[in-house]
Amino acid sequence: MAVVRITVAVAKVLRAFLEDPAQPRYGYELMRVTGFPSGKLYPILAKLQAVGWLVREREDIDPSMAGRPARRLYRLSPEGTRAAREELTTLSAELRPPMLAEQPRVLRTEGGLP
């Protein structure tokens, strides 16, 4: 399995894809969802594609009929879906606040002094 350094930015992009792994996404949509400019988003997409987590396709439309150029669509590969879920689960567990031991409660008398 290819290794990807999971930064907060990469995690945010993967989370966007995991909202519906079968749904192809295009760059502008991902920029809106993540809040990232193209200069931050596209290197992440290229990295994820290079390791096989993303598949890139060209939208199958007639540009003259649609009134716009065909978009590049990105979707998670089966390996990417599995890896993204695993990585985000691990990251979430690592970032979860530690459980605090139950502290005995001190009753205060009137006036706020213990």
Side-chain angles (χ1 to χ4, degrees), residues 60-96:
D60 187 20
I61 63 164
D62 178 356
S64 61
M65 295 286 286
R68 61 173 174 78
R71 296 174 175 147
R72 288 185 205 155
L73 300 174
Y74 301 86
R75 64 178 169 75
L76 286 171
S77 67
E79 177 189 352
T81 301
R82 183 196 54 72
R85 285 185 175 135
E86 183 179 302
E87 291 292 339
L88 292 184
T89 298
T90 299
L91 182 63
S92 179
E94 289 174 1
L95 296 177
R96 188 172 298 121

Side-chain angles (χ1 to χ4, degrees), residues 17-84:
F17 279 104
L18 286 174
E19 287 177 7
D20 185 353
Q23 176 68 36
R25 307 286 184 154
Y26 60 98
Y28 184 69
E29 173 191 17
L30 289 166
M31 288 189 312
R32 282 192 327 235
V33 169
T34 62
F36 297 153
S38 62
K40 185 170 187 169
L41 176 67
Y42 283 101
I44 294 170
L45 296 176
K47 184 185 313 182
L48 294 173
Q49 184 184 354
V51 297
W53 290 16
L54 285 184
V55 175
R56 186 177 85 177
E57 306 165 336
R58 184 161 290 282
E59 186 178 32
D60 187 20
I61 63 164
D62 178 356
S64 61
M65 295 286 286
R68 61 173 174 78
R71 296 174 175 147
R72 288 185 205 155
L73 300 174
Y74 301 86
R75 64 178 169 75
L76 286 171
S77 67
E79 177 189 352
T81 301
R82 183 196 54 72

